[in-house]
Amino acid sequence: MIFRTLLAATAALALSSPITAQTDEAEPAAKAEIAYEANSASETLSGTFGGRSIRYTATVEEQVLKGEDGTPKAAIVTTSYVAEPRDPSRPVTFLFNGGPGSGSVWLQMGAFGPKRVAIPSDARDDGAPPYPILDNPDSLLDVTDLVFIDPVGTGFSHTIGDTKGEEYWGVTKDAESVAKVIRMWLSENGRWNSPKFLGGESYGTTRSAAVVHELEGAYNDVSLNGVILISTVLDFGAGAETEGAELGYITTLPSMAATALYHGKATAPSVEQFVEEARQFAIGPYAAFLLKGQNASAQERTAVRAELARFTGLSEEFLEQADLRVSSGRFYKELLRDRGLTVGRLDSRYTGVDYDNAGEHPDNDPSFYGIDGGYTAAVNHFMRDTLGYETERDYVTIGYVGPWDWRLEGGRDTNAYLNVAPYLGKAMRENSGMRIFVGQGWYDFATPFFAAEYALTRTGFPQDRIEWQYYDSGHMMYVRDEDRRKLSEDVRAFIRAR
């Protein structure tokens, strides 16, 4: 049975004639109160997940955030999948995507939700509709209930009344709002003592660290059993591409090596062996060369250039013109220039064709426009037609949420080097039961795997509670069928091992 509550907004004015027994001045009018009725829809469904037949309730609903005076300020939409009969001892996992500005459609309709959209698994464009929307046996519903969260400005989530989006758009502001939604959901569903997991993809991993800080950083904390990081970006200095910043060249080199090997521009027995060689070269001779700057010797330069060419598949002539420092954008355009192709940013297995072959950077990312049509169609069809969610709003898959406030606690030095990884280290040190799962694709330039390794191997992280898994695809590894199954099995085992 579908339960539908139509969104409504009314203004109730409480104006009355002032009583002036002691003064001739009228009292100020009371502030108008906004009555807001949250929108929701629900449906009971069933499917087979992880080999188990599960009956579950799917609910899409607005969680209303209020100001200190009780005025509704924002409606954050959650989509929950809860196994029936309800069991408060079951784990519950809260999930979101990134951007910032991305809805949860990608993890929900691609990886962990009970339905998924089927797009080509071999890095081909998804073309035009109709797109198959299938039962997803790789959903995690056999081991955990699932709650997908769309922060303000993404999905169907929105501000209310005169509230500005900027009140929620920032590393800390966003994390505070998501943490409030999690607390609200736990209270409304009687799940405070359930095992709890938090997971995000891309900027969603940044959000995960910041939300952990909000949930566990005070005495009234929400302790977590685990954090699931998919395509991780925590230390933004590790990948910054700005003049004078050298670390990004080091952390992207192994991704370039994997991509060159995939496209036949390098040779090696396996991607695992080749990227390990690239790691060692990157943190050894290449890092030393970069740190010396113009003080590096001609002999060092010659040796580094030759190895750099072997790993990247680029010519020594091009590398010399780039001063042995190749930005990601230049790599996308240059690697397959001789074939008239570019490679993708989110997933460098994908190739694209630009307007012409002379430019320095690609016209667009073929690994994004190769998947967006299918996912957009799928989430709208499922929410509106299957679950019966009625709204005139567009579902925002990727939208503008700006200006984004990147400031953290700590002042000048903290914000000169944006890094949320210490939030996770502190939480692990203060919660002996919290573990971290990290899933990375070899062909991901948006959040390179070596940058994630760098961020999570600094001082303060208990390494025995961090699990690493790698996939033969890119940023959204679940678009490849084999990797979706592997990701599901890996995360399922992580949750079961609590």
Side-chain angles (χ1 to χ4, degrees), residues 7 11 46 85 109 114 133 170 180 185 194 205 211 226 235 237 296 314 337 388 468 474 485:
L7 178 153
S46 61
M109 302 300 298
I133 301 173
K180 285 180 183 177
W185 195 94
S194 299
T205 64
V211 170
D235 184 343
L314 305 177
R337 193 187 294 269
W468 294 86
R485 288 190 287 269

Side-chain angles (χ1 to χ4, degrees), residues 97-106 109 150 153-156 368 371-380 394-400 476:
N97 275 85
S102 173
S104 65
V105 53
W106 314 102
M109 302 300 298
D150 289 323
T154 75
F156 291 128
F368 182 70
I371 67 173
D372 60 340
Y375 277 84
T376 303
V379 72
N380 277 282
D394 289 336
Y395 185 95
V396 179
T397 56
I398 300 283
Y400 177 72
M476 298 156 168

Side-chain angles (χ1 to χ4, degrees), residues 49-51 112 136-144 228 437 484-498:
F49 314 110
F112 300 137
N136 181 19
D138 299 314
S139 173
L140 302 173
L141 259 173
D142 57 310
V143 295
T144 179
I228 301 162
F437 172 91
R484 183 183 61 258
R485 288 190 287 269
K486 174 175 163 49
L487 177 66
S488 173
E489 292 168 358
D490 292 340
V491 175
R492 180 178 285 105
F494 177 77
I495 292 173
R496 282 177 171 156
R498 68 181 187 277

Side-chain angles (χ1 to χ4, degrees), residues 39-162:
N39 194 8
S40 67
S42 186
E43 180 75 26
T44 299
L45 305 166
S46 61
T48 300
F49 314 110
R52 288 182 55 198
S53 178
I54 303 287
R55 183 171 169 268
Y56 64 94
T57 299
T59 303
V60 53
E61 60 184 333
E62 292 181 330
Q63 304 285 348
V64 179
L65 301 184
K66 298 180 179 180
E68 292 182 359
D69 61 354
T71 302
K73 297 180 67 65
I76 292 183
V77 175
T78 61
T79 307
S80 60
Y81 302 96
V82 179
E84 300 290 351
R86 301 198 171 207
D87 179 2
S89 68
R90 259 173 67 87
V92 57
T93 302
F94 298 91
L95 295 158
F96 32 70
N97 275 85
S102 173
S104 65
V105 53
W106 314 102
L107 286 178
Q108 187 170 181
M109 302 300 298
F112 300 137
K115 302 287 184 180
R116 73 173 183 89
V117 60
I119 63 172
S121 177
D122 56 356
R124 288 181 293 117
D125 186 83
D126 59 2
Y131 306 99
I133 301 173
L134 311 174
D135 290 337
N136 181 19
D138 299 314
S139 173
L140 302 173
L141 259 173
D142 57 310
V143 295
T144 179
D145 293 332
L146 301 167
V147 182
F148 294 89
I149 301 173
D150 289 323
V152 173
T154 75
F156 291 128
S157 300
H158 58 93
T159 57
I160 299 172
D162 295 331

